[in-house]
PDB file of all heavy atoms in Angstrom:
ATOM      1  N   ARG A  65      19.476  10.669  35.967  1.00 84.00           N
ATOM      2  CA  ARG A  65      18.038  11.043  35.743  1.00 84.00           C
ATOM      3  C   ARG A  65      17.854  12.492  35.811  1.00 84.00           C
ATOM      4  O   ARG A  65      16.768  13.035  36.151  1.00 84.00           O
ATOM      5  CB  ARG A  65      17.148  10.345  36.699  1.00 84.00           C
ATOM      6  CG  ARG A  65      17.287   8.784  36.624  1.00 84.00           C
ATOM      7  CD  ARG A  65      16.219   8.147  37.532  1.00 84.00           C
ATOM      8  NE  ARG A  65      16.423   8.300  38.918  1.00 84.00           N
ATOM      9  CZ  ARG A  65      17.396   7.571  39.562  1.00 84.00           C
ATOM     10  NH1 ARG A  65      18.066   6.728  39.004  1.00 84.00           N
ATOM     11  NH2 ARG A  65      17.557   7.797  40.896  1.00 84.00           N
ATOM     12  N   LEU A  70      14.824  13.916  24.036  1.00 86.00           N
ATOM     13  CA  LEU A  70      13.692  13.291  23.369  1.00 86.00           C
ATOM     14  C   LEU A  70      13.883  13.489  21.848  1.00 86.00           C
ATOM     15  O   LEU A  70      14.444  14.546  21.442  1.00 86.00           O
ATOM     16  CB  LEU A  70      12.446  14.143  23.691  1.00 86.00           C
ATOM     17  CG  LEU A  70      11.118  13.540  23.566  1.00 86.00           C
ATOM     18  CD1 LEU A  70      10.890  12.264  24.527  1.00 86.00           C
ATOM     19  CD2 LEU A  70       9.994  14.525  23.899  1.00 86.00           C
ATOM     20  N   VAL A 104       6.682   8.475  23.941  1.00 89.00           N
ATOM     21  CA  VAL A 104       5.852   9.365  24.866  1.00 89.00           C
ATOM     22  C   VAL A 104       4.920  10.288  24.157  1.00 89.00           C
ATOM     23  O   VAL A 104       5.186  10.552  22.902  1.00 89.00           O
ATOM     24  CB  VAL A 104       6.771  10.252  25.712  1.00 89.00           C
ATOM     25  CG1 VAL A 104       7.485   9.177  26.737  1.00 89.00           C
ATOM     26  CG2 VAL A 104       7.847  10.994  24.995  1.00 89.00           C
ATOM     27  N   ALA A 122      22.059  22.337  43.809  1.00 83.00           N
ATOM     28  CA  ALA A 122      22.479  22.630  42.464  1.00 83.00           C
ATOM     29  C   ALA A 122      23.038  24.009  42.336  1.00 83.00           C
ATOM     30  O   ALA A 122      22.746  24.898  43.039  1.00 83.00           O
ATOM     31  CB  ALA A 122      21.200  22.477  41.535  1.00 83.00           C
ATOM     32  N   ARG A 123      23.931  24.152  41.297  1.00 82.00           N
ATOM     33  CA  ARG A 123      24.556  25.395  41.091  1.00 82.00           C
ATOM     34  C   ARG A 123      23.484  26.481  40.614  1.00 82.00           C
ATOM     35  O   ARG A 123      23.474  27.620  40.921  1.00 82.00           O
ATOM     36  CB  ARG A 123      25.651  25.371  39.942  1.00 82.00           C
ATOM     37  CG  ARG A 123      26.270  26.689  39.750  1.00 82.00           C
ATOM     38  CD  ARG A 123      27.715  26.480  39.330  1.00 82.00           C
ATOM     39  NE  ARG A 123      27.810  26.147  37.916  1.00 82.00           N
ATOM     40  CZ  ARG A 123      27.969  27.001  36.963  1.00 82.00           C
ATOM     41  NH1 ARG A 123      27.883  28.274  37.189  1.00 82.00           N
ATOM     42  NH2 ARG A 123      28.008  26.655  35.706  1.00 82.00           N
ATOM     43  N   LEU A 125      18.943  26.469  39.299  1.00 91.00           N
ATOM     44  CA  LEU A 125      17.771  25.776  38.908  1.00 91.00           C
ATOM     45  C   LEU A 125      17.410  25.890  37.459  1.00 91.00           C
ATOM     46  O   LEU A 125      16.490  25.255  36.973  1.00 91.00           O
ATOM     47  CB  LEU A 125      16.676  26.134  39.829  1.00 91.00           C
ATOM     48  CG  LEU A 125      16.756  25.879  41.321  1.00 91.00           C
ATOM     49  CD1 LEU A 125      15.568  26.457  42.044  1.00 91.00           C
ATOM     50  CD2 LEU A 125      16.625  24.354  41.414  1.00 91.00           C
ATOM     51  N   ILE A 155       8.543  26.799  21.917  1.00 95.00           N
ATOM     52  CA  ILE A 155       9.483  27.030  20.830  1.00 95.00           C
ATOM     53  C   ILE A 155       8.917  26.449  19.680  1.00 95.00           C
ATOM     54  O   ILE A 155       8.284  25.430  19.564  1.00 95.00           O
ATOM     55  CB  ILE A 155      10.799  26.120  21.081  1.00 95.00           C
ATOM     56  CG1 ILE A 155      11.568  26.692  22.316  1.00 95.00           C
ATOM     57  CG2 ILE A 155      11.691  26.130  19.854  1.00 95.00           C
ATOM     58  CD1 ILE A 155      12.680  25.776  22.715  1.00 95.00           C
ATOM     59  N   GLU A 205      15.138  11.685   3.742  1.00 87.00           N
ATOM     60  CA  GLU A 205      15.143  11.203   5.095  1.00 87.00           C
ATOM     61  C   GLU A 205      14.372   9.901   5.084  1.00 87.00           C
ATOM     62  O   GLU A 205      13.234   9.894   4.699  1.00 87.00           O
ATOM     63  CB  GLU A 205      14.624  12.148   6.147  1.00 87.00           C
ATOM     64  CG  GLU A 205      15.577  13.309   6.416  1.00 87.00           C
ATOM     65  CD  GLU A 205      15.053  14.291   7.282  1.00 87.00           C
ATOM     66  OE1 GLU A 205      13.839  14.186   7.710  1.00 87.00           O
ATOM     67  OE2 GLU A 205      15.771  15.236   7.637  1.00 87.00           O
ATOM     68  N   ILE A 348      35.306  -8.581   9.727  1.00 72.00           N
ATOM     69  CA  ILE A 348      34.865  -8.299  11.085  1.00 72.00           C
ATOM     70  C   ILE A 348      35.380  -6.870  11.489  1.00 72.00           C
ATOM     71  O   ILE A 348      34.616  -6.079  12.042  1.00 72.00           O
ATOM     72  CB  ILE A 348      35.426  -9.348  12.133  1.00 72.00           C
ATOM     73  CG1 ILE A 348      34.566 -10.592  11.954  1.00 72.00           C
ATOM     74  CG2 ILE A 348      35.346  -8.833  13.542  1.00 72.00           C
ATOM     75  CD1 ILE A 348      35.245 -11.889  12.461  1.00 72.00           C
ATOM     76  N   LEU A 406      30.046  -4.563  22.647  1.00 85.00           N
ATOM     77  CA  LEU A 406      30.759  -4.520  23.907  1.00 85.00           C
ATOM     78  C   LEU A 406      32.279  -4.454  23.617  1.00 85.00           C
ATOM     79  O   LEU A 406      33.046  -3.863  24.372  1.00 85.00           O
ATOM     80  CB  LEU A 406      30.381  -5.757  24.686  1.00 85.00           C
ATOM     81  CG  LEU A 406      28.970  -5.736  25.189  1.00 85.00           C
ATOM     82  CD1 LEU A 406      28.620  -7.040  25.783  1.00 85.00           C
ATOM     83  CD2 LEU A 406      28.785  -4.614  26.245  1.00 85.00           C
ATOM     84  N   VAL A 464      33.373 -14.282  16.766  1.00 64.00           N
ATOM     85  CA  VAL A 464      34.437 -15.031  17.425  1.00 64.00           C
ATOM     86  C   VAL A 464      34.448 -16.392  16.777  1.00 64.00           C
ATOM     87  O   VAL A 464      35.530 -17.068  16.480  1.00 64.00           O
ATOM     88  CB  VAL A 464      34.166 -15.224  18.942  1.00 64.00           C
ATOM     89  CG1 VAL A 464      35.058 -16.245  19.453  1.00 64.00           C
ATOM     90  CG2 VAL A 464      34.419 -13.798  19.598  1.00 64.00           C
ATOM     91  N   ILE A 493      39.814 -31.791  27.655  1.00 96.00           N
ATOM     92  CA  ILE A 493      39.832 -32.257  26.217  1.00 96.00           C
ATOM     93  C   ILE A 493      38.675 -31.465  25.653  1.00 96.00           C
ATOM     94  O   ILE A 493      37.469 -31.417  26.132  1.00 96.00           O
ATOM     95  CB  ILE A 493      39.392 -33.767  26.105  1.00 96.00           C
ATOM     96  CG1 ILE A 493      40.497 -34.571  26.782  1.00 96.00           C
ATOM     97  CG2 ILE A 493      39.247 -34.117  24.717  1.00 96.00           C
ATOM     98  CD1 ILE A 493      40.156 -36.048  26.911  1.00 96.00           C
ATOM     99  N   VAL A 552      57.080 -12.430  11.309  1.00 91.00           N
ATOM    100  CA  VAL A 552      58.286 -13.276  11.241  1.00 91.00           C
ATOM    101  C   VAL A 552      57.890 -14.687  11.561  1.00 91.00           C
ATOM    102  O   VAL A 552      58.333 -15.663  10.896  1.00 91.00           O
ATOM    103  CB  VAL A 552      59.329 -12.698  12.276  1.00 91.00           C
ATOM    104  CG1 VAL A 552      60.543 -13.644  12.339  1.00 91.00           C
ATOM    105  CG2 VAL A 552      59.726 -11.310  11.961  1.00 91.00           C
ATOM    106  N   CYS A 566      59.010 -16.886  -0.102  1.00 98.00           N
ATOM    107  CA  CYS A 566      57.886 -15.795   0.237  1.00 98.00           C
ATOM    108  C   CYS A 566      57.756 -14.851  -0.972  1.00 98.00           C
ATOM    109  O   CYS A 566      58.753 -14.268  -1.346  1.00 98.00           O
ATOM    110  CB  CYS A 566      58.299 -15.043   1.484  1.00 98.00           C
ATOM    111  SG  CYS A 566      57.380 -13.571   1.818  1.00 98.00           S
ATOM    112  N   ALA A 588      66.318  -4.960  10.258  1.00 97.00           N
ATOM    113  CA  ALA A 588      67.278  -5.970   9.662  1.00 97.00           C
ATOM    114  C   ALA A 588      67.232  -7.238  10.450  1.00 97.00           C
ATOM    115  O   ALA A 588      67.213  -8.306   9.848  1.00 97.00           O
ATOM    116  CB  ALA A 588      68.711  -5.357   9.823  1.00 97.00           C
ATOM    117  N   ARG A 601      65.351 -20.181   0.478  1.00 98.00           N
ATOM    118  CA  ARG A 601      64.301 -19.877  -0.449  1.00 98.00           C
ATOM    119  C   ARG A 601      64.098 -18.344  -0.584  1.00 98.00           C
ATOM    120  O   ARG A 601      64.529 -17.601   0.362  1.00 98.00           O
ATOM    121  CB  ARG A 601      62.955 -20.411   0.095  1.00 98.00           C
ATOM    122  CG  ARG A 601      63.023 -21.941   0.207  1.00 98.00           C
ATOM    123  CD  ARG A 601      61.818 -22.551   0.883  1.00 98.00           C
ATOM    124  NE  ARG A 601      61.830 -24.003   1.098  1.00 98.00           N
ATOM    125  CZ  ARG A 601      62.510 -24.590   2.119  1.00 98.00           C
ATOM    126  NH1 ARG A 601      63.048 -23.874   3.034  1.00 98.00           N
ATOM    127  NH2 ARG A 601      62.520 -25.867   2.121  1.00 98.00           N
ATOM    128  N   VAL A 605      60.599  -8.858   0.113  1.00 98.00           N
ATOM    129  CA  VAL A 605      60.108  -7.945   1.118  1.00 98.00           C
ATOM    130  C   VAL A 605      59.490  -6.721   0.436  1.00 98.00           C
ATOM    131  O   VAL A 605      60.104  -6.023  -0.417  1.00 98.00           O
ATOM    132  CB  VAL A 605      61.377  -7.399   1.903  1.00 98.00           C
ATOM    133  CG1 VAL A 605      60.831  -6.399   2.969  1.00 98.00           C
ATOM    134  CG2 VAL A 605      62.121  -8.525   2.587  1.00 98.00           C
ATOM    135  N   ALA A 646      65.628   3.916   5.462  1.00 96.00           N
ATOM    136  CA  ALA A 646      65.996   2.944   6.579  1.00 96.00           C
ATOM    137  C   ALA A 646      65.470   1.501   6.262  1.00 96.00           C
ATOM    138  O   ALA A 646      66.136   0.650   6.543  1.00 96.00           O
ATOM    139  CB  ALA A 646      65.290   3.521   7.924  1.00 96.00           C
TER     140      ALA A 646
END
Side-chain angles (χ1 to χ4, degrees):
R65 302 185 293 281
L70 200 69
V104 292
R123 183 149 78 88
L125 289 172
I155 294 171
E205 282 177 359
I348 288 164
L406 290 171
V464 168
I493 297 171
V552 177
C566 167
R601 296 173 183 82
V605 180

